[in-house]
Amino acid sequence: VYGLGLTWGSMDLFHWFGDTDTSQFRVLSSGNPPYFLPERASEGERVPGVVLEYDLPRAFDPIAVFDRMAVALSHLAATLGGRPVTATG
């Protein structure tokens, strides 16, 4: 996730800011709790899945943010061996 240019921070989530000072999209765990602790990941802790989300009204350029999120999704699916699904499967 770091390699995609996301930073870990607010709410213990990974955020992509792009060229802004506002989080444009986030990556969180689909489990409970929904946050990540990087030190746990380095110890091998796994999560049941990841969720990519963004707030359309806050996006500086919604299409560009969505496109960047799609790149992140593709990379994460390939790296983690998963497949993208909607909230309903």
Side-chain angles (χ1 to χ4, degrees), residues 32-53:
N32 190 10
Y35 56 82
F36 289 98
L37 297 175
E39 62 273 13
R40 295 283 202 274
S42 67
E43 295 169 354
E45 183 177 287
R46 299 191 181 270
V47 297
V50 294
V51 175
L52 282 71
E53 68 177 19

Side-chain angles (χ1 to χ4, degrees), residues 8 11-14 26-37 47-51 53:
W8 181 81
M11 301 182 305
D12 291 338
L13 302 177
F14 287 96
R26 293 160 297 290
V27 177
L28 53 142
S29 168
S30 63
N32 190 10
Y35 56 82
F36 289 98
L37 297 175
V47 297
V50 294
V51 175
E53 68 177 19

